Amino acid sequence: MISYHQITLKVNGETEVVNVPANMTLLVMLREEMGLTGVKNGCAAGECGACTVLMNGEPVNSCMVLAAECDGAEVITVEGLSHNGQLIKLQEMLIAKGGVQCGFCTPGMLISAFALLKRNPDPSENEIREALVGNLCRCTGYVRIIDAVKASVEK
Amino acid sequence: MLYRRQARRYNTYKRKKTMLNPHPGLPEFTYVKLASLDEACGFLVEHAGEARLISGGTDLLVRMRDKAFKPAYVVDIKGLEGTDVLAFDPSSGLKIGAAVPMNRVVAHPDVQKHYPLLAQAAKSVASYQLRNRATIVGNICNASPAGDTLGACLLLGGRLNIYGKDGERFEDLVTFFKGPGKTSLQPGEIVTSINFPLPEKGATGTYLKLGRNKLSDLAIVGVTVYGFPDKMTESGFRIKVALASVAATPLMPPVVETVLSENEITEDTIQEAANASMDACFPIDDVRGSARYRKEMVRNLTRNAITEVWGQLQSRTENGLEANR
Amino acid sequence: MAVTDKMPELIGKSPLRVDVHGKVTGAAIYTDDIQFGKNLLYARVKRSPHPHALIKKIDTSKAEALPGVKVIVTGKDYPQRIGLYLKDKNIFATDRVRFVGEAVAGVAAVNEEIAEKACELIEVEYELLEPVFDSIYGASPDAPLIHPDMGDYEVANFIFPKPGTNISNHFKARKGDVDRAWKDCAAIVEKSFHIPQVQHVPIEPHIAIAKTDDNGRVTLWASSQSPFAQRNLIAKTLGISESDMRVIAPYVGGGFGCKAGVTMEAMPVAIALKAKGHPVKMRFTREEEFYTNFVRQGLKIKLKVGCDKDGNMLAMENTMYWDGGASTEYGVNITRAGGYSSTGPFDIPNVKTDSFCVYTNHPIGGAYRGFGMSELHTGIGQVMDELAEKIGMDKVEFLKRNSIQGGDINVTGMKMHPIGLQECIDKVAKGINWGVKEKASSDNKLRGKGIAISWKAPAMPPNAGSSAFIEMNEDGTATVNVGGQEIGQGAFTVAAQIAAATIGLPMEDIRIAGPLDTQYSPYEWQTVASRLTWSMGNAVRFAAADARRQILEMVAEAWDEDVDDLDIINGIVVSYRSEKEMSLKNIAVYGIPKEDDQGWIGGPVVGQGSFMPSYVTGLDPETGQGPRAVVHYTTGAQGFDIEIDKDTGKIEILKAVTAFDVGRALNPELVKAQMEGGMMQGISSAIFEEIILEEGVMQNPSFVDYRIATTVDVPRVMETYFVEVPQDDGPFGARGIGEHPMTPTIAALGNAIYDATGIRLEGPPFLPEKVYLAMKDAGILD
Ligand SMILES: Cc1cc2nc3c(=O)[nH]c(=O)nc-3n(C[C@H](O)[C@H](O)[C@H](O)COP(=O)(O)OP(=O)(O)OC[C@H]3O[C@@H](n4cnc5c(N)ncnc54)[C@H](O)[C@@H]3O)c2cc1C
Ligand code: FES
Ligand code: FES
């Protein structure tokens, strides 16, 4: 028997009320119920990081969170990073440094990096690498992504 | 058969007979959030065999997708009383609630100051975003021999606070593990927190984890070493070892401790302890590594970990820390 | 074709990617992001649990009875065979299964859960057959036949299957007289290597949606490198006319070859044909991506090489057994590429090559970045290292002495075009401080350096074509229409750059039409073989030149001037004679009014261009000889400075350096990005990756146990260089670089390990365990 849950949460600043089945993950809810398809599914098993979103200010693998657990939560996806077309510095640097190729890892990568800079505004290269270890990228070899995060540090 | 003649892999191990094709989504279940430990415990007793607890869910959801677990009910422990506590008391020690994600533990100043070994071990688990969900108690209750924090929790004297239908009980972690995925928990029991006594004076430790990647992988082997000055021993120190991924449960070979307390600590006795550590484990061949390699790694990493800890202990002694005792 | 008269300013600059804004904001649409509404059905696949078995009976009745199930198809519904070079595959297995994971039936239902449940309810009765798990054994007469009907299969005329065996292609090259040459050799090295199967691992798993309209027309949305090849292959197989099949291909979240040809896309189409009006979505789980998707074929390679006392290469014998898997429809051409490139970039007078593609009961082999070259060079790069040592020559000197150069006649009898390989070797040798023995960082470590060179030609049928058209817009911008796909490599950006440079527009004034749609986009064979910058680039350049000509002719007429006096600079037509100026705004669509309202000149400008290399020739089946086997080769070198931890066997790369001759770097930053990403993928395959197969069952079908490189595995120092010796048939002299950077990696790392330890491993991945136990067994650990 499956249960359904009415939850209220904030997604990218908007309050949403949704009715979700117990087995729906936050990832599926964001993509399929809310059309936030910037959140990507690369494995559905907590391994690749493509589905990373901010939940209550901290990055989580949205494929590893049940939607039903999100009652009262505040969620930010890649769509919620920039405002009114104004890119944040990380996005700009990812473009400038060439840290995007196919772009499939990019949304999760941005969220992880954004969270890193929030908790540690001046990370060392090691800290950057460690913070992004859960975000797999098959295209770039990571070099330019790491460069972009370094370049985003507000000095 | 003919194809037996064909080339085989350099190491052989118990193979999976059938192919795993996990369901694209999670199977159906009922998600249950209850108001109190009492209710949760009652629910678990009532639905024994059909219900499972979820904390961070990072083990549970993976296994449910793989169809290894098929619970009809998933009972959330988050929000139950006491599970959110992360507190240090200079007289009694550290309490980590069952719902506290690892990142909170790692970032806590008192953990960093008094239990850096625990922070180090927790930081070696998966990725930052996963550690925002994964909990230490979940790591323990999952009872995988590869669990990265189990060694530190064991060596630091972890004691579980368990809530059951007959009320609260405590159990030392040393007796908790019964096999891969098996613990001493009885139906209906919920671990509410893990508690640590104050660390020994002058104590230090390290966790050496060998994965395929430098970080984020599961341990092929993991070696935790914890040591402190101890006037009661011949060597003046007590050094203990816990091993991950080399037996059905985390191992704490007592012989290592004996070697290093009954003899003066030298390169030779460290090597002897490392050899003893290797002899005490009985790993298997699996897709992550062969038993032969694992044994060798247990020896080498035990030696390196003890050497590191021993170096720290010595420099602390020289710096007069020992005078505190 | 002249390389170029004058190099436009934009060529050799690195304008930003054109596709990037949507990719950083989450707005970019990938296939799974398209919304299809409530009518959508979800498809799942029933798969074989056996490596080799006859299908006795399939009972779908229980599955059909499950509420929510709409359509079930099995091999009975579609007996037709499909394949790119050799039609040896069925969409769903018909009478037998040949690998664990092969599709046996497909189900469409109202959601994925029900579809999956229905798959579980389908009952299949099998009769087990003896499997083949080894390519050498598979090629032997003892092995059971996996495709007893091979003789009936349709096959391209450059592929040579051997019916009655498991050999689906045998490529032979014979040059000079090897047997005589051995006598003159002062040093000979013989070695075998085994390169295991690996997976592509794009972060976006395979996904396709198909829909059949009432009138029988089919639309397929797919994450695809090859919309046109998919249209062609699927339409032909299912008896649809090509123009009644439409393939729409949005951005691809990584391909690396696995989204080329047809892998899973025919399945949703086959199902959708029986579910008219419903879009049918099929998306692979990560696990399916690992064990059912095409793999990089395994290779067993035996090499014998010899040189004279001065270190001049005299002979090579190269025997390759490719583990093509259960069907080799794509792999047969990898076998061919391995054959015609079998010497690597070395000048060797006497060569004997036999390259066999062998059916096994393993996952199907397909195209993977490098198309056989990583595997081939793993062997060649390491035997050359040993031969240099045996003859007592510095390894870099040996490479330089023997590497192929412009004007040399290569293994297939083709005269090499000018290349900058020598310079690449120099750059890499300098980069890793070659020749200087450096100390390890501690007693616990062993330090070593290794270098290897490689080459690769675009591997494709001789007539693989490209086309493009460019429409001018009212605002003076140009929309570039191409059929080549943006899979991350930057194809759209380079197309925009070529168009802008050729017409005379600023980069911002170019739009790339997308997503690709076979109904509107011009034809492109496939986005593979590192061929887009070169081949599609040529088509774009011609289309842009055509548009430019139309504009200039129009303006020349209006101004009554000579076209040769006019130019387009930054979107403004200028005359060098009259110094008149006119913006492209409006005129490129509406034309220019004649004076005194006496009519109009011009009209909507649409430039078109197409390109097909018409000069590639066939090769003699017995000797592999012919005037021009391929269009050209991209060559380069790679080197590593590494340390090995004696306690664990772990390899730490201190420095990684690579250099390739790209002809002309149209966009240097994109070239470097390809080199970094490619080298890292090579490193990942060299030290982590292997599809571990036990009796046909993949043991590690998830990221948990199929590790790929992460941020922490990137070498501290990585240097990339390009050399520019222009290519006569490339746009502005450019050659491809997409695949090449990973082709020498395994060999170069293998050589570095050898330098550090004296140990030569049989093949990758160079896992700590393998390195450690080999050191232990060799007695070099105390
Ligand atoms: C991608 C990935 C990578 C990983 N990497 C690592 C790694 O490197 N090292 C490592 O050690 N682990 C790793 N893990 C495993 C997992 O993250 C850890 O074991 C984690 O600590 C589990 O905590 P949790 O809170 O998520 O547990 P949950 O999944 O919530 O629970 C685990 C088990 O314990 C039971 N349980 C939970 N709470 C209680 C309670 N209070 N009382 C009684 N029973 C309870 C649950 O029913 C379940 O069976 C990884 C997992 C994933 C998905
Ligand atoms: S999709 Fe969530 S981590 Fe891969
Ligand atoms: S850019 Fe393709 S996966 Fe990162």
Side-chain angles (χ1 to χ4, degrees):
Chain A
M1 261 265 290
I2 192 160
S3 60
Y4 285 80
H5 306 268
Q6 176 157 320
I7 60 168
T8 306
L9 75 171
K10 242 187 187 170
V11 179
N12 295 335
E14 305 269 332
T15 302
E16 309 271 357
V17 182
V18 263
N19 195 21
V20 295
N23 63 356
M24 180 179 271
T25 59
L26 174 59
L27 168 65
V28 173
M29 181 185 78
L30 291 170
R31 283 184 57 83
E32 296 185 3
E33 298 295 308
M34 301 183 172
L36 293 169
T37 54
V39 187
K40 299 294 184 225
N41 177 355
C43 70
E47 292 283 342
C48 74
C51 67
T52 307
V53 300
L54 292 181
M55 180 173 171
N56 301 325
E58 284 284 345
V60 296
N61 303 91
S62 63
C63 67
M64 286 277 102
V65 178
L66 298 175
E69 293 178 279
C70 297
D71 194 23
E74 195 162 327
V75 173
I76 293 184
T77 70
V78 67
E79 286 94 341
L81 286 182
S82 53
H83 293 286
N84 302 326
Q86 183 61 48
L87 300 185
I88 61 169
K89 182 131 185 218
L90 256 174
Q91 290 169 315
E92 277 173 0
M93 287 302 120
L94 214 50
I95 294 176
K97 296 286 171 187
V100 178
Q101 288 191 25
C102 82
F104 206 77
C105 68
T106 309
M109 211 50 103
L110 276 164
I111 295 285
S112 283
F114 179 80
L116 166 68
L117 295 181
K118 227 174 46 158
R119 67 179 180 269
N120 179 359
D122 189 10
S124 66
E125 168 149 353
N126 262 342
E127 288 169 332
I128 295 172
R129 288 177 178 233
E130 287 181 12
L132 299 181
V133 77
N135 292 84
L136 299 178
C137 174
R138 190 62 154 172
C139 302
T140 63
Y142 304 103
V143 185
R144 286 160 192 265
I145 295 173
I146 297 168
D147 284 351
V149 180
K150 279 192 212 156
S152 303
V153 171
E154 309 275 356
K155 281 273 158 73
Chain B
M1 258 210 283
L2 241 158
Y3 63 83
R4 294 257 174 267
R5 285 205 270 110
Q6 300 173 49
R8 296 194 60 95
R9 218 179 109 74
Y10 57 91
N11 67 18
T12 49
Y13 46 85
K14 241 186 358 202
R15 73 187 174 92
K16 288 178 200 151
K17 291 269 167 25
T18 50
M19 198 62 234
L20 190 77
N21 186 23
H23 206 275
L26 290 166
E28 294 185 356
F29 60 89
T30 297
Y31 170 77
V32 183
K33 190 144 181 136
L34 297 162
S36 66
L37 280 172
D38 209 35
E39 276 181 41
C41 172
F43 189 94
L44 291 176
V45 171
E46 193 183 329
H47 298 281
E50 286 186 309
R52 277 202 181 260
L53 290 169
I54 184 169
S55 183
T58 59
D59 274 315
L60 184 74
L61 298 182
V62 171
R63 277 163 203 260
M64 284 173 63
R65 217 182 131 249
D66 291 355
K67 299 176 193 145
F69 289 173
K70 297 172 186 157
Y73 302 96
V74 170
V75 181
D76 203 340
I77 67 145
K78 295 185 288 294
L80 298 181
E81 61 269 31
T83 59
D84 194 38
V85 176
L86 173 58
F88 176 72
D89 179 335
S91 60
S92 59
L94 179 70
K95 184 184 191 77
I96 302 175
V100 177
M102 289 187 185
N103 279 347
R104 251 181 83 196
V105 177
V106 173
H108 198 282
D110 286 318
V111 174
Q112 288 174 359
K113 186 158 169 219
H114 304 290
Y115 306 90
L117 176 60
L118 186 58
Q120 185 194 2
K123 256 189 98 163
S124 77
V125 171
S127 61
Y128 184 84
Q129 54 266 57
L130 204 87
R131 297 193 297 270
N132 268 331
R133 301 295 293 173
T135 63
I136 292 196
V137 169
N139 203 218
I140 290 168
C141 293
N142 191 51
S144 155
D148 283 313
T149 67
L150 310 192
C153 290
L154 282 163
L155 296 180
L156 290 167
R159 197 171 153 78
L160 299 174
N161 197 341
I162 298 168
Y163 191 94
K165 59 180 190 298
D166 305 323
E168 211 176 19
R169 72 176 177 95
F170 288 90
E171 178 167 352
D172 285 329
L173 200 53
V174 235
T175 60
F176 187 69
F177 300 108
K178 301 295 177 202
K182 294 206 178 72
T183 67
S184 66
L185 285 180
Q186 297 303 308
E189 287 193 323
I190 302 171
V191 176
T192 55
S193 66
I194 180 163
N195 306 280
F196 297 98
L198 289 175
E200 310 286 340
K201 284 253 161 52
T204 181
T206 195
Y207 178 50
L208 298 187
K209 172 178 176 177
L210 180 71
R212 288 154 296 189
N213 301 69
K214 278 193 204 150
L215 211 70
S216 82
D217 193 10
L218 297 175
I220 301 171
V221 302
V223 177
T224 319
V225 169
Y226 178 66
F228 49 89
D230 183 350
K231 288 259 158 67
M232 307 295 288
T233 66
E234 202 60 33
S235 66
F237 295 92
R238 193 167 288 279
I239 295 180
K240 306 179 184 196
V241 172
L243 307 173
S245 282
V246 289
T249 57
L251 282 190
M252 287 198 294
V255 49
V256 178
E257 189 177 331
T258 316
V259 169
L260 296 173
S261 39
E262 290 181 357
N263 304 286
E264 191 192 338
I265 302 179
T266 62
E267 249 180 62
D268 287 344
T269 47
I270 291 177
Q271 189 60 54
E272 193 187 330
N275 291 343
S277 181
M278 171 168 82
D279 293 339
C281 69
F282 32 93
I284 53 162
D285 290 331
D286 71 14
V287 60
R288 279 158 220 152
S290 67
R292 179 184 173 208
Y293 181 61
R294 285 191 154 115
K295 279 206 156 230
E296 296 263 337
M297 290 306 102
V298 165
R299 184 194 57 212
N300 295 356
L301 297 187
T302 304
R303 184 193 61 222
N304 292 355
I306 296 173
T307 306
E308 185 186 327
V309 166
W310 170 233
Q312 286 171 16
L313 287 172
Q314 276 178 310
S315 70
R316 287 185 185 201
T317 317
E318 279 158 23
N319 292 338
L321 269 176
E322 228 216 328
N324 292 344
R325 296 188 80 232
Chain C
M1 235 171 309
V3 170
T4 172
D5 334 314
K6 148 177 145 239
M7 203 52 66
E9 226 176 89
L10 203 52
I11 298 304
K13 295 279 181 332
S14 300
L16 297 178
R17 297 178 66 106
V18 298
D19 56 341
V20 79
H21 192 272
K23 287 182 175 177
V24 301
T25 56
I29 297 293
Y30 298 78
T31 306
D32 199 21
D33 303 342
I34 304 171
Q35 308 289 320
F36 287 92
K38 292 283 171 216
N39 223 7
L40 180 65
L41 298 179
Y42 293 85
R44 296 287 300 155
V45 181
K46 173 80 177 181
R47 298 184 178 284
S48 165
H50 305 297
H52 198 191
L54 292 178
I55 299 176
K56 287 291 172 197
K57 203 173 121 202
I58 303 182
D59 182 354
T60 57
S61 55
K62 284 187 192 143
E64 277 159 32
L66 189 70
V69 172
K70 298 287 178 186
V71 178
I72 300 181
V73 300
T74 66
K76 276 217 175 62
D77 299 302
Y78 297 104
Q80 311 89 319
R81 279 189 282 263
I82 186 169
L84 195 62
Y85 297 103
L86 171 65
K87 294 202 188 306
D88 65 355
K89 208 175 136 230
N90 292 99
I91 300 175
F92 295 97
T94 50
D95 56 337
R96 84 165 71 196
V97 289
R98 297 179 171 90
F99 75 100
V100 174
E102 181 163 1
V104 174
V107 178
V110 293
N111 61 41
E112 269 175 326
E113 286 70 33
I114 293 175
E116 181 72 23
K117 239 177 246 166
C119 288
E120 285 163 16
L121 292 174
I122 295 174
E123 288 163 8
V124 187
E125 208 179 286
Y126 294 101
E127 178 187 323
L128 300 192
L129 297 174
E130 193 179 308
V132 174
F133 296 131
D134 181 85
S135 54
I136 296 182
Y137 167 69
S140 73
D142 296 346
L145 290 187
I146 297 175
H147 286 263
D149 302 335
M150 195 206 310
D152 304 336
Y153 296 171
E154 202 183 308
V155 59
N157 68 358
F158 48 87
I159 303 297
F160 305 103
K162 302 276 168 270
T165 73
N166 286 319
I167 298 170
S168 54
N169 190 18
H170 179 186
F171 181 93
K172 293 185 216 173
R174 304 284 184 268
K175 183 188 177 192
D177 185 344
V178 181
D179 292 332
R180 260 185 43 201
W182 297 127
K183 296 188 197 76
D184 302 328
C185 290
I188 292 177
V189 170
E190 274 191 84
K191 274 239 128 75
S192 296
F193 297 91
H194 175 215
I195 299 93
Q197 285 97 337
V198 295
Q199 197 44 280
H200 306 71
V201 199
I203 305 302
E204 176 199 40
H206 277 72
I207 161 121
I209 302 99
K211 181 170 175 249
T212 311
D213 289 340
D214 270 353
N215 57 13
R217 291 197 178 161
V218 176
T219 307
L220 170 69
W221 293 260
S223 175
S224 168
Q225 296 177 233
S226 311
F228 287 92
Q230 290 180 349
R231 177 178 74 166
N232 175 270
L233 288 172
I234 296 173
K236 269 219 179 75
T237 304
L238 295 176
I240 309 166
S241 177
E242 268 105 335
S243 56
D244 283 339
M245 165 119 195
R246 174 179 178 190
V247 181
I248 300 175
Y251 284 130
V252 174
F256 315 108
C258 71
K259 292 167 183 167
V262 173
T263 50
M264 52 75 88
E265 299 77 13
M267 287 194 279
V269 175
I271 298 170
L273 282 173
K274 300 196 185 291
K276 274 196 180 150
H278 290 277
V280 176
K281 181 185 274 198
M282 181 180 286
R283 52 184 169 196
F284 275 8
T285 61
R286 177 55 62 184
E287 292 76 10
E288 284 174 299
E289 188 70 25
F290 272 117
Y291 80 95
T292 74
N293 181 27
F294 285 18
V295 301
R296 183 170 89 186
Q297 311 187 112
L299 173 64
K300 291 200 165 162
I301 180 170
K302 293 189 209 174
L303 285 156
K304 182 176 176 187
V305 288
C307 63
D308 69 14
K309 65 176 189 351
D310 301 320
N312 297 305
M313 286 293 308
L314 293 182
M316 167 186 273
E317 220 174 288
N318 184 346
T319 314
M320 290 172 265
Y321 290 91
W322 300 87
D323 185 337
S327 64
T328 60
E329 52 120 332
Y330 215 133
V332 289
N333 200 35
I334 299 168
T335 302
R336 182 172 188 268
Y340 63 61
S341 300
S342 57
T343 53
F346 291 90
D347 181 24
I348 310 175
N350 303 288
V351 184
K352 176 168 183 259
T353 296
D354 289 282
S355 181
F356 298 97
C357 193
V358 185
Y359 285 123
T360 64
N361 296 108
H362 277 159
I364 299 171
Y368 181 107
R369 194 175 197 169
F371 211 67
M373 294 302 109
S374 301
E375 304 90 296
L376 169 72
H377 288 100
T378 296
I380 293 176
Q382 296 190 80
V383 284
M384 294 302 183
D385 198 69
E386 296 216 349
L387 189 60
E389 179 168 301
K390 202 159 181 188
I391 203 70
M393 204 166 166
D394 175 75
K395 290 171 178 175
V396 165
E397 199 188 321
F398 183 85
L399 291 181
K400 289 189 70 175
R401 168 166 302 207
N402 289 298
S403 67
I404 201 156
Q405 305 200 31
D408 288 345
I409 301 299
N410 79 6
V411 51
T412 58
M414 167 177 156
K415 187 172 165 205
M416 277 302 283
H417 48 84
I419 53 169
L421 180 54
Q422 299 271 328
E423 204 184 329
C424 292
I425 298 171
D426 286 338
K427 282 192 150 58
V428 170
K430 184 158 173 254
I432 59 169
N433 216 359
W434 179 261
V436 182
K437 191 86 193 150
E438 279 166 285
K439 263 185 67 107
S441 61
S442 81
D443 288 349
N444 233 11
K445 311 256 170 156
L446 297 168
R447 183 131 178 212
K449 293 178 188 179
I451 187 166
I453 61 178
S454 73
W455 70 354
K456 184 188 178 295
M460 52 190 201
N463 60 338
S466 295
S467 58
F469 66 92
I470 296 180
E471 301 163 283
M472 295 301 300
N473 300 309
E474 296 91 323
D475 57 4
T477 61
T479 302
V480 177
N481 292 265
V482 290
Q485 183 63 297
E486 176 55 69
I487 61 173
Q489 81 284 47
F492 284 1
T493 305
V494 167
Q497 221 176 325
I498 292 173
T502 306
I503 300 175
L505 288 171
M507 190 68 184
E508 329 56 281
D509 282 359
I510 304 288
R511 305 287 176 271
I512 301 286
L516 298 191
D517 184 335
T518 56
Q519 184 159 301
Y520 309 116
S521 307
Y523 178 82
E524 178 70 51
W525 177 62
Q526 297 200 72
T527 302
V528 295
S530 309
R531 58 184 280 286
L532 282 201
T533 295
W534 163 73
S535 181
M536 183 177 93
N538 274 329
V540 170
R541 191 169 175 219
F542 298 150
D546 187 29
R548 177 185 164 93
R549 179 189 54 77
Q550 294 173 38
I551 295 166
L552 292 183
E553 282 174 4
M554 166 173 68
V555 177
E557 189 184 338
W559 289 351
D560 194 18
E561 292 197 38
D562 197 304
V563 166
D564 293 341
D565 292 328
L566 305 184
D567 197 355
I568 307 177
I569 298 170
N570 265 328
I572 312 270
V573 185
V574 298
S575 163
Y576 292 119
R577 193 166 62 93
S578 63
E579 298 192 354
K580 278 196 197 160
E581 290 190 357
M582 184 183 277
S583 158
L584 286 184
K585 281 205 177 85
N586 298 325
I587 64 163
V589 172
Y590 301 131
I592 303 171
K594 287 186 182 161
E595 274 169 37
D596 306 330
D597 206 12
Q598 292 304 301
W600 289 72
I601 302 166
V605 171
V606 181
Q608 68 90 28
S610 54
F611 173 76
M612 193 178 84
S614 49
Y615 36 85
V616 174
T617 63
L619 302 176
D620 183 277
E622 289 308 313
T623 63
Q625 299 299 304
R628 191 154 180 188
V630 297
V631 289
H632 57 248
Y633 279 94
T634 299
T635 57
Q638 203 162 98
F640 293 97
D641 181 359
I642 67 165
E643 266 184 2
I644 296 173
D645 182 22
K646 286 204 254 177
D647 288 338
T648 59
K650 272 205 163 183
I651 296 170
E652 165 103 37
I653 299 174
L654 304 175
K655 192 166 185 189
V657 184
T658 199
F660 276 86
D661 174 11
V662 300
R664 171 93 56 208
L666 302 184
N667 184 319
E669 289 302 317
L670 286 182
V671 168
K672 284 176 159 285
Q674 283 306 297
M675 290 204 258
E676 290 158 9
M679 180 150 66
M680 209 49 229
Q681 197 167 0
I683 292 171
S684 186
S685 75
I687 65 182
F688 297 123
E689 297 180 38
E690 172 179 14
I691 290 179
I692 303 173
L693 289 162
E694 280 288 313
E695 297 184 356
V697 182
M698 183 174 179
Q699 304 296 301
N700 54 338
S702 76
F703 281 130
V704 180
D705 284 317
Y706 188 104
R707 305 302 297 178
I708 66 168
T710 69
T711 43
V712 294
D713 303 305
V714 181
R716 285 286 142 176
V717 186
M718 224 158 137
E719 285 173 9
T720 55
Y721 300 97
F722 53 80
V723 167
E724 296 180 297
V725 175
Q727 182 62 40
D728 63 356
D729 65 348
F732 307 105
R735 270 183 219 112
I737 182 64
E739 301 163 278
H740 312 80
M742 76 180 288
T743 57
T745 313
I746 300 172
L749 272 170
N751 291 344
I753 293 170
Y754 180 79
D755 188 42
T757 63
I759 289 166
R760 186 70 70 184
L761 293 168
E762 196 203 6
F766 304 135
L767 297 170
E769 163 158 1
K770 265 199 218 169
V771 176
Y772 180 87
L773 293 179
M775 291 194 294
K776 178 99 187 165
D777 293 342
I780 58 175
L781 301 177
D782 12 87

